[in-house]
Coordinates of all heavy atoms in Angstrom, one line a residue:
M359 N 0.8 -1.1 0.0 CA 0.0 0.0 0.0 C 0.9 1.3 0.0 O 1.8 1.2 0.9 CB -0.9 0.0 1.2 CG -1.8 1.1 1.3 SD -3.0 1.2 2.8 CE -3.4 -0.5 3.1
S360 N 0.6 2.1 -0.9 CA 1.5 3.4 -0.9 C 1.1 4.2 0.2 O 0.0 4.2 0.8 CB 1.2 4.1 -2.3 OG -0.1 4.7 -2.3
V361 N 2.0 5.3 0.4 CA 1.8 6.2 1.5 C 0.6 7.1 1.3 O -0.2 7.3 2.2 CB 3.1 7.1 1.6 CG1 2.9 8.2 2.7 CG2 4.3 6.3 2.0
G362 N 0.3 7.5 0.1 CA -0.9 8.3 -0.4 C -2.2 7.6 0.0 O -3.1 8.1 0.5
T363 N -2.2 6.3 -0.3 CA -3.4 5.5 -0.1 C -3.6 5.3 1.3 O -4.7 5.4 1.9 CB -3.2 4.0 -0.7 OG1 -3.0 4.3 -2.2 CG2 -4.4 3.2 -0.6
Q364 N -2.6 5.0 2.1 CA -2.6 4.9 3.5 C -3.1 6.2 4.2 O -4.0 6.1 5.1 CB -1.2 4.5 4.1 CG -1.3 4.2 5.6 CD 0.0 3.7 6.1 OE1 1.0 3.6 5.4 NE2 0.1 3.3 7.4
E365 N -2.6 7.3 3.7 CA -3.0 8.6 4.4 C -4.6 8.9 4.1 O -5.3 9.3 4.9 CB -2.2 9.7 3.8 CG -0.8 9.7 4.4 CD 0.2 10.7 3.7 OE1 -0.3 11.4 2.6 OE2 1.2 11.0 4.1
L366 N -4.9 8.5 2.9 CA -6.4 8.7 2.5 C -7.3 7.8 3.3 O -8.3 8.3 3.8 CB -6.6 8.3 1.0 CG -8.0 8.4 0.6 CD1 -8.6 9.8 0.6 CD2 -8.1 8.0 -0.9
L367 N -6.8 6.5 3.6 CA -7.6 5.7 4.4 C -7.7 6.1 5.8 O -8.7 6.0 6.5 CB -7.0 4.2 4.3 CG -7.2 3.5 3.0 CD1 -6.6 2.1 3.0 CD2 -8.8 3.3 2.6
I368 N -6.6 6.6 6.4 CA -6.6 7.1 7.8 C -7.6 8.4 7.8 O -8.4 8.5 8.8 CB -5.2 7.6 8.2 CG1 -4.4 6.3 8.3 CG2 -5.2 8.3 9.4 CD1 -3.0 6.6 8.6
F369 N -7.5 9.3 6.8 CA -8.4 10.5 6.8 C -9.8 10.0 6.7 O -10.7 10.6 7.5 CB -8.0 11.4 5.6 CG -8.8 12.5 5.3 CD1 -8.8 13.6 6.2 CD2 -9.8 12.6 4.3 CE1 -9.5 14.7 6.1 CE2 -10.6 13.7 4.2 CZ -10.5 14.8 5.1
L370 N -10.2 9.1 5.9 CA -11.5 8.5 5.8 C -12.0 7.9 7.1 O -13.1 8.1 7.5 CB -11.7 7.6 4.6 CG -11.5 8.3 3.2 CD1 -11.6 7.2 2.1 CD2 -12.6 9.3 3.0
G371 N -10.9 7.2 7.7 CA -11.3 6.6 9.1 C -11.7 7.6 10.1 O -12.6 7.5 10.8
I372 N -10.8 8.6 10.1 CA -11.1 9.8 11.1 C -12.5 10.4 10.8 O -13.2 10.7 11.7 CB -10.0 10.8 10.9 CG1 -8.7 10.2 11.5 CG2 -10.3 12.1 11.6 CD1 -7.4 11.0 11.3
G373 N -12.8 10.7 9.4 CA -14.1 11.2 9.1 C -15.2 10.3 9.5 O -16.3 10.8 10.0
L374 N -15.1 9.0 9.4 CA -16.2 8.1 9.7 C -16.4 8.1 11.2 O -17.5 8.2 11.7 CB -15.8 6.7 9.2 CG -16.9 5.6 9.5 CD1 -18.1 6.0 8.7 CD2 -16.3 4.2 8.8
V375 N -15.3 8.1 12.0 CA -15.4 8.1 13.5 C -16.0 9.4 13.9 O -17.0 9.5 14.8 CB -14.0 8.0 14.2 CG1 -14.2 8.2 15.6 CG2 -13.6 6.5 13.9
A376 N -15.6 10.6 13.3 CA -16.1 11.9 13.6 C -17.5 12.0 13.2 O -18.4 12.5 14.0 CB -15.4 13.1 13.0
G377 N -18.0 11.5 12.2 CA -19.4 11.6 11.8 C -20.2 10.7 12.7 O -21.4 11.0 13.0
W378 N -19.7 9.6 13.0 CA -20.4 8.6 14.0 C -20.6 9.4 15.3 O -21.7 9.4 15.9 CB -19.7 7.3 14.1 CG -20.3 6.4 15.2 CD1 -21.5 5.7 15.0 CD2 -19.7 6.2 16.4 NE1 -21.7 5.0 16.2 CE2 -20.6 5.3 17.1 CE3 -18.6 6.5 17.1 CZ2 -20.4 4.6 18.3 CZ3 -18.3 6.0 18.5 CH2 -19.2 5.1 19.0
L379 N -19.6 10.0 15.8 CA -19.7 10.7 17.1 C -20.6 11.8 17.0 O -21.4 12.1 18.0 CB -18.2 11.2 17.6 CG -17.2 10.1 18.0 CD1 -15.8 10.7 18.2 CD2 -17.8 9.4 19.3
A380 N -20.5 12.6 16.0 CA -21.5 13.7 15.8 C -22.9 13.2 15.8 O -23.8 13.8 16.3 CB -21.2 14.5 14.5
G381 N -23.1 12.0 15.0 CA -24.5 11.4 15.0 C -24.9 11.0 16.4 O -26.1 11.1 16.8
L382 N -24.0 10.5 17.3 CA -24.4 10.2 18.6 C -24.9 11.4 19.4 O -25.8 11.4 20.1 CB -23.2 9.6 19.4 CG -22.9 8.1 19.0 CD1 -21.7 7.8 19.8 CD2 -23.9 7.1 19.2
V383 N -24.2 12.5 19.2 CA -24.5 13.8 19.8 C -25.8 14.4 19.4 O -26.7 14.8 20.2 CB -23.3 14.8 19.7 CG1 -23.8 16.1 20.3 CG2 -22.1 14.3 20.5
L384 N -26.0 14.4 18.0 CA -27.2 15.1 17.5 C -28.2 14.2 16.9 O -29.2 14.7 16.4 CB -26.7 16.1 16.3 CG -25.8 17.3 16.9 CD1 -25.4 18.1 15.7 CD2 -26.6 18.1 17.9
G385 N -28.0 13.0 16.9 CA -28.9 12.0 16.3 C -28.7 11.8 14.8 O -28.1 12.7 14.2
G386 N -29.2 10.7 14.3 CA -29.1 10.5 12.9 C -28.0 9.5 12.7 O -27.4 9.0 13.6
G387 N -27.6 9.1 11.4 CA -26.6 8.2 11.2 C -26.6 7.5 9.9 O -27.3 8.1 8.9
G388 N -26.0 6.4 9.8 CA -25.8 5.7 8.6 C -24.4 5.9 8.2 O -23.8 6.9 8.3
L389 N -23.8 4.7 7.6 CA -22.5 4.7 7.3 C -22.1 5.8 6.3 O -21.1 6.6 6.6 CB -22.0 3.3 6.8 CG -20.6 3.1 6.3 CD1 -19.8 3.1 7.6 CD2 -20.5 1.8 5.7
L390 N -22.8 5.9 5.2 CA -22.3 6.9 4.2 C -22.5 8.3 4.7 O -21.7 9.2 4.5 CB -23.1 6.6 3.0 CG -22.8 7.6 1.7 CD1 -21.3 7.3 1.4 CD2 -23.7 7.3 0.6
R391 N -23.6 8.6 5.5 CA -24.0 9.9 6.0 C -22.8 10.3 7.0 O -22.4 11.4 7.0 CB -25.2 10.0 6.6 CG -25.5 11.4 7.2 CD -26.9 11.4 7.9 NE -27.2 12.7 8.3 CZ -27.3 13.0 9.7 NH1 -27.0 12.1 10.5 NH2 -27.4 14.2 10.0
N392 N -22.3 9.3 7.9 CA -21.4 9.6 8.9 C -20.1 9.9 8.1 O -19.4 10.8 8.6 CB -21.2 8.4 9.8 CG -22.4 8.3 10.7 OD1 -23.2 9.2 10.9 ND2 -22.4 7.1 11.3
L393 N -19.8 9.2 7.1 CA -18.5 9.4 6.4 C -18.5 10.8 5.7 O -17.6 11.5 5.9 CB -18.4 8.3 5.3 CG -17.1 8.5 4.5 CD1 -15.9 8.4 5.4 CD2 -17.0 7.3 3.4
I394 N -19.5 11.1 5.0 CA -19.6 12.5 4.4 C -19.6 13.5 5.4 O -18.8 14.5 5.3 CB -20.9 12.5 3.5 CG1 -20.8 11.5 2.3 CG2 -21.1 14.0 3.0 CD1 -22.0 11.3 1.6
V395 N -20.4 13.4 6.4 CA -20.4 14.6 7.3 C -19.1 14.7 8.1 O -18.6 15.8 8.3 CB -21.6 14.3 8.4 CG1 -21.5 15.2 9.6 CG2 -22.9 14.5 7.8
G396 N -18.5 13.5 8.5 CA -17.1 13.6 9.1 C -16.0 14.1 8.3 O -15.2 14.9 8.8
V397 N -16.0 13.8 7.0 CA -15.0 14.3 6.1 C -15.2 15.8 5.9 O -14.2 16.6 6.0 CB -15.1 13.6 4.7 CG1 -14.2 14.3 3.7 CG2 -14.5 12.1 4.9
I398 N -16.4 16.2 5.6 CA -16.6 17.7 5.6 C -16.3 18.4 6.9 O -15.7 19.5 6.9 CB -18.0 18.0 5.2 CG1 -18.3 17.5 3.7 CG2 -18.4 19.4 5.2 CD1 -19.8 17.5 3.3
G399 N -16.8 17.7 8.0 CA -16.5 18.3 9.3 C -15.0 18.4 9.7 O -14.6 19.3 10.4
A400 N -14.1 17.4 9.1 CA -12.7 17.6 9.3 C -12.2 19.0 8.8 O -11.4 19.6 9.4 CB -12.0 16.5 8.6
F401 N -12.6 19.3 7.5 CA -12.3 20.6 7.0 C -12.9 21.8 7.8 O -12.2 22.7 8.1 CB -12.7 20.7 5.6 CG -11.9 19.8 4.6 CD1 -12.5 18.6 4.1 CD2 -10.5 20.0 4.4 CE1 -11.8 17.7 3.3 CE2 -9.7 19.2 3.4 CZ -10.5 18.0 3.0
V402 N -14.2 21.7 8.0 CA -14.8 22.7 8.8 C -14.2 22.9 10.2 O -13.9 24.1 10.7 CB -16.4 22.6 8.9 CG1 -17.0 23.5 9.9 CG2 -17.0 22.6 7.5
G403 N -14.0 21.8 10.9 CA -13.4 21.9 12.2 C -12.0 22.5 12.2 O -11.7 23.4 13.1
G404 N -11.2 22.0 11.3 CA -9.8 22.6 11.2 C -9.9 24.1 10.9 O -9.1 24.8 11.5
W405 N -10.7 24.6 10.0 CA -10.8 26.0 9.6 C -11.3 26.7 10.9 O -10.7 27.8 11.2 CB -11.8 26.1 8.4 CG -12.0 27.5 8.2 CD1 -11.1 28.4 7.4 CD2 -13.1 28.4 8.4 NE1 -11.7 29.6 7.3 CE2 -12.8 29.6 7.9 CE3 -14.3 28.1 9.2 CZ2 -13.7 30.7 8.1 CZ3 -15.2 29.2 9.4 CH2 -14.8 30.4 8.8
L406 N -12.4 26.3 11.5 CA -12.9 26.9 12.7 C -11.9 27.1 13.9 O -11.8 28.2 14.4 CB -14.2 26.3 13.2 CG -15.5 26.4 12.5 CD1 -16.5 25.5 13.1 CD2 -16.0 27.8 12.4
L407 N -11.2 26.0 14.1 CA -10.3 26.1 15.2 C -9.1 27.0 14.8 O -8.5 27.7 15.7 CB -9.7 24.8 15.5 CG -10.8 23.8 16.2 CD1 -10.2 22.5 16.6 CD2 -11.4 24.5 17.5
S408 N -8.7 27.0 13.5 CA -7.7 27.9 13.1 C -8.1 29.3 13.1 O -7.3 30.2 13.6 CB -7.4 27.5 11.7 OG -6.4 28.5 11.1
V409 N -9.3 29.6 12.7 CA -9.7 31.1 12.7 C -9.9 31.5 14.2 O -9.6 32.7 14.5 CB -11.2 31.2 12.0 CG1 -11.8 32.5 12.3 CG2 -10.9 31.0 10.5
A410 N -10.4 30.6 15.1 CA -10.5 31.0 16.5 C -9.2 31.0 17.3 O -9.1 31.3 18.4 CB -11.6 30.2 17.1
N411 N -8.1 30.5 16.6 CA -6.8 30.5 17.1 C -6.8 29.4 18.4 O -6.2 29.8 19.4 CB -6.2 31.8 17.5 CG -4.8 31.7 17.6 OD1 -4.1 30.9 17.0 ND2 -4.2 32.7 18.4
I412 N -7.4 28.4 18.2 CA -7.6 27.4 19.2 C -6.7 26.2 19.0 O -6.8 25.6 17.8 CB -9.0 26.9 19.5 CG1 -9.9 28.1 19.9 CG2 -9.2 25.8 20.5 CD1 -11.4 27.8 20.0
S413 N -5.9 25.8 19.9 CA -5.1 24.6 19.8 C -5.5 23.6 20.9 O -5.6 24.0 22.1 CB -3.7 25.0 20.0 OG -2.8 23.8 20.0
L414 N -5.9 22.5 20.4 CA -6.5 21.5 21.5 C -5.3 20.9 22.3 O -4.3 20.6 21.8 CB -7.1 20.4 20.7 CG -8.3 20.6 19.8 CD1 -8.8 19.5 19.1 CD2 -9.4 21.2 20.7
P415 N -5.5 20.9 23.6 CA -4.4 20.4 24.4 C -4.4 18.9 24.6 O -4.5 18.3 25.7 CB -4.7 21.0 25.7 CG -6.2 21.2 25.8 CD -6.6 21.4 24.3
V416 N -4.3 18.2 23.5 CA -4.3 16.8 23.4 C -3.0 16.2 22.8 O -2.5 16.8 21.8 CB -5.5 16.3 22.4 CG1 -5.4 14.8 22.4 CG2 -6.8 16.8 22.9
G417 N -2.4 15.4 23.6 CA -1.0 14.9 23.2 C -1.0 14.0 22.0 O 0.0 13.9 21.3
N418 N -2.1 13.2 21.8 CA -2.1 12.3 20.7 C -2.7 13.0 19.4 O -3.8 13.5 19.4 CB -3.1 11.1 21.1 CG -3.1 10.0 20.1 OD1 -3.2 10.2 18.9 ND2 -2.9 8.8 20.6
V419 N -1.9 12.9 18.4 CA -2.4 13.7 17.1 C -3.7 13.0 16.6 O -4.5 13.8 16.1 CB -1.2 13.6 16.0 CG1 -1.7 14.2 14.7 CG2 0.0 14.3 16.6
L420 N -3.7 11.8 16.6 CA -5.0 11.0 16.0 C -6.2 11.5 16.8 O -7.3 11.8 16.2 CB -4.8 9.6 16.0 CG -5.9 8.8 15.4 CD1 -6.1 9.2 13.9 CD2 -5.6 7.3 15.5
V421 N -6.1 11.5 18.1 CA -7.2 11.9 18.9 C -7.6 13.3 18.7 O -8.8 13.7 18.6 CB -7.0 11.6 20.5 CG1 -8.0 12.2 21.2 CG2 -6.7 10.2 20.7
S422 N -6.5 14.2 18.6 CA -6.8 15.6 18.2 C -7.5 15.8 16.9 O -8.5 16.6 16.8 CB -5.6 16.4 18.3 OG -5.7 17.7 17.9
Q423 N -7.1 15.0 15.9 CA -7.8 15.2 14.7 C -9.2 14.6 14.7 O -10.2 15.2 14.0 CB -7.0 14.3 13.5 CG -5.7 14.9 13.3 CD -4.8 14.1 12.4 OE1 -5.0 12.9 12.2 NE2 -3.8 14.6 11.8
I424 N -9.5 13.6 15.5 CA -10.8 13.1 15.5 C -11.7 14.1 16.4 O -12.8 14.4 15.9 CB -10.8 11.7 16.3 CG1 -10.3 10.7 15.4 CG2 -12.3 11.4 16.7 CD1 -10.0 9.3 16.1
I425 N -11.2 14.7 17.4 CA -12.0 15.8 18.1 C -12.3 17.0 17.2 O -13.3 17.4 17.1 CB -11.2 16.3 19.4 CG1 -11.2 15.1 20.4 CG2 -11.9 17.5 20.0 CD1 -10.2 15.3 21.6
T426 N -11.3 17.4 16.5 CA -11.3 18.5 15.6 C -12.5 18.2 14.5 O -13.4 18.9 14.2 CB -10.1 18.9 14.9 OG1 -9.1 19.2 15.8 CG2 -10.2 20.0 13.9
A427 N -12.3 17.0 13.9 CA -13.4 16.6 12.9 C -14.8 16.5 13.5 O -15.8 16.8 12.7 CB -12.9 15.3 12.2
T428 N -14.8 16.1 14.7 CA -16.2 15.9 15.4 C -16.8 17.2 15.6 O -17.9 17.4 15.3 CB -16.0 15.0 16.6 OG1 -15.4 13.7 16.4 CG2 -17.4 14.9 17.3
I429 N -16.0 18.2 16.1 CA -16.5 19.5 16.3 C -17.0 20.0 14.9 O -18.2 20.6 14.8 CB -15.4 20.5 16.8 CG1 -15.0 20.0 18.2 CG2 -15.8 21.9 16.8 CD1 -13.8 20.7 18.8
G430 N -16.3 19.9 13.9 CA -16.7 20.3 12.6 C -18.0 19.6 12.1 O -18.9 20.2 11.5
A431 N -18.0 18.3 12.3 CA -19.2 17.5 11.9 C -20.5 18.0 12.6 O -21.5 18.0 12.1 CB -19.0 16.1 12.1
I432 N -20.3 18.3 13.9 CA -21.5 18.8 14.7 C -21.9 20.2 14.2 O -23.2 20.4 14.0 CB -21.1 18.9 16.1 CG1 -20.9 17.4 16.8 CG2 -22.1 19.7 17.0 CD1 -20.3 17.5 18.2
V433 N -21.0 21.1 13.8 CA -21.4 22.3 13.2 C -22.0 22.0 11.9 O -23.1 22.8 11.5 CB -20.1 23.2 13.1 CG1 -20.5 24.4 12.2 CG2 -19.6 23.6 14.4
V434 N -21.5 21.1 11.0 CA -22.1 20.9 9.7 C -23.6 20.4 10.0 O -24.5 20.8 9.2 CB -21.3 19.8 8.9 CG1 -22.0 19.3 7.7 CG2 -20.0 20.5 8.5
I435 N -23.8 19.4 10.8 CA -25.2 19.0 11.0 C -26.0 20.0 11.5 O -27.2 20.1 11.0 CB -25.1 17.8 12.0 CG1 -24.4 16.5 11.4 CG2 -26.6 17.3 12.3 CD1 -24.2 15.4 12.4
A436 N -25.6 20.9 12.5 CA -26.4 21.9 13.0 C -26.8 22.9 11.9 O -28.0 23.3 11.8 CB -25.7 22.6 14.2
V437 N -25.9 23.4 11.1 CA -26.0 24.3 10.0 C -27.1 23.6 9.0 O -28.0 24.3 8.5 CB -24.8 24.8 9.4 CG1 -25.0 25.5 8.1 CG2 -24.0 25.5 10.4
A438 N -26.8 22.4 8.7 CA -27.7 21.7 7.7 C -29.1 21.7 8.2 O -30.1 21.9 7.4 CB -27.2 20.3 7.4
R439 N -29.3 21.5 9.5 CA -30.7 21.4 10.0 C -31.4 22.8 10.1 O -32.5 22.9 9.8 CB -30.6 20.8 11.5 CG -30.4 19.3 11.4 CD -30.4 18.8 12.8 NE -30.1 17.3 12.7 CZ -30.0 16.5 13.8 NH1 -30.1 17.0 15.0 NH2 -29.8 15.2 13.7
V440 N -30.6 23.8 10.3 CA -31.0 25.2 10.3 C -31.6 25.5 8.9 O -32.6 26.1 8.6 CB -30.0 26.2 10.9 CG1 -30.5 27.6 10.5 CG2 -29.9 26.0 12.3
I441 N -30.7 25.3 7.9 CA -31.0 25.4 6.5 C -32.2 24.7 6.0 O -33.0 25.2 5.3 CB -29.8 25.1 5.7 CG1 -28.7 26.3 5.9 CG2 -30.2 25.2 4.1 CD1 -27.4 26.0 5.2
A442 N -32.3 23.5 6.5 CA -33.5 22.6 6.1 C -34.8 23.1 6.6 O -35.9 22.7 6.1 CB -33.2 21.2 6.4
R443 N -34.8 23.9 7.6 CA -36.1 24.3 8.2 C -36.7 25.4 7.3 O -37.0 25.9 6.6 CB -35.8 25.0 9.5 CG -35.6 23.9 10.6 CD -35.5 24.5 11.9 NE -35.1 23.5 12.8 CZ -35.0 23.8 14.2 NH1 -35.3 24.9 14.6 NH2 -34.7 22.8 15.0

């Protein structure tokens, strides 16, 4: 497996976990939905934390990425629900 493929699979795994966690917090779910929301949430969470100049005090990089993506996924779900009303 090439390095690029491995990085993509890790990124998708982080997105899937983040989408699942966001679904636990706000309800909803499904494998594909969790994956999509988590991947979009990874970008949104990274951007939000960067703009707010927030650095998570977590020593483990993977856990920090999952938390960041989960924050973004929660925001994505909340905004989607507001727009859908």
Side-chain angles (χ1 to χ4, degrees):
M359 182 180 321
S360 70
V361 174
T363 303
Q364 186 176 3
E365 290 173 349
L366 177 63
L367 290 175
I368 291 170
F369 178 71
L370 293 174
I372 289 169
L374 186 59
V375 171
W378 175 72
L379 289 171
L382 287 178
V383 172
L384 296 177
L389 183 65
L390 186 59
R391 179 177 182 256
N392 287 345
L393 180 61
I394 292 169
V395 168
V397 167
I398 294 170
F401 290 107
V402 171
W405 179 79
L406 285 174
L407 293 181
S408 174
V409 167
N411 201 25
I412 295 173
S413 176
L414 297 176
V416 179
N418 187 311
V419 175
L420 184 60
V421 173
S422 177
Q423 291 173 342
I424 290 171
I425 292 170
T426 300
T428 302
I429 291 168
I432 289 170
V433 170
V434 167
I435 292 171
V437 168
R439 287 183 179 175
V440 167
I441 292 171
R443 287 185 183 181

